[in-house]
Amino acid sequence: MIEITEAPIDHAALTERVRSNQAGAVCSFLGTVREMTGDRQTMALDYEAYPEMALKKLGELEAEARQRWPILDVALVHRVGHLGLGEISVVVAVSCPHRHQAFDACRWLIDTLKEVVPIWKKEVWADGSEEWVHPGLGPKA
């Protein structure tokens, strides 16, 4: 399951969705809005995406992960829009027969998602300034 959404993400429902009697492990990752980035205080994050391309890339990631690990089910959901402190921005949930497979697949999925999926993040700082960031590219021009 892949999705880009403006709605809050129900991580418990996604975890339940990927659970299976065939799986000995379910691993999930939640990306959340943190208050401090280094020594700067964050007030909120704004996420934007190129939805068609983002969904295509998420589908490619899911397909590659299924080739690399014996994944029974997977959920990749990223939120866009304005998110306040503590809100969930991204969820990756993976079920596999064994825990090491689920951990490895989950980590690879979130790390690769952050590198290649066209979703951009704007940090809204407590001092009123803002900055677009994307892993591997530095600040957005």
Side-chain angles (χ1 to χ4, degrees):
M1 176 211 175
I2 58 172
E3 184 179 5
I4 304 292
T5 183
E6 293 183 12
I9 301 172
D10 184 344
H11 66 89
L14 290 173
T15 300
E16 282 302 308
R17 179 183 172 119
V18 304
R19 281 175 26 97
S20 164
N21 289 339
Q22 305 303 310
V26 174
C27 186
S28 62
F29 171 84
L30 308 179
T32 60
V33 180
R34 65 177 172 261
E35 184 174 7
M36 299 299 293
T37 301
D39 61 352
R40 297 184 79 181
Q41 184 178 11
T42 302
M43 298 303 293
L45 297 178
D46 291 314
Y47 284 94
E48 290 184 10
Y50 174 13
E52 296 82 6
M53 182 59 72
L55 291 169
K56 180 179 182 218
K57 284 291 189 187
L58 289 171
E60 291 170 2
L61 291 181
E62 178 183 357
E64 184 173 344
R66 287 180 180 278
Q67 289 177 354
R68 295 175 70 160
W69 293 278
I71 292 174
L72 299 166
D73 206 353
V74 61
L76 302 169
V77 179
H78 205 297
R79 191 165 168 200
V80 293
H82 186 79
L83 283 72
L85 294 178
E87 290 192 83
I88 297 170
S89 58
V90 61
V91 173
V92 176
V94 179
S95 59
C96 290
H98 301 284
R99 71 179 173 273
H100 69 279
Q101 298 160 337
F103 276 117
D104 291 349
C106 189
R107 182 174 188 130
W108 181 85
L109 281 163
I110 188 59
D111 288 348
T112 308
L113 181 157
K114 297 298 270 178
E115 291 175 12
V116 304
V117 178
I119 298 173
W120 300 276
K121 173 175 70 173
K122 180 172 63 174
E123 299 264 4
V124 180
W125 307 108
D127 66 7
S129 64
E130 300 174 345
E131 180 181 9
W132 285 99
V133 294
H134 187 280
L137 298 180
K140 184 177 176 183

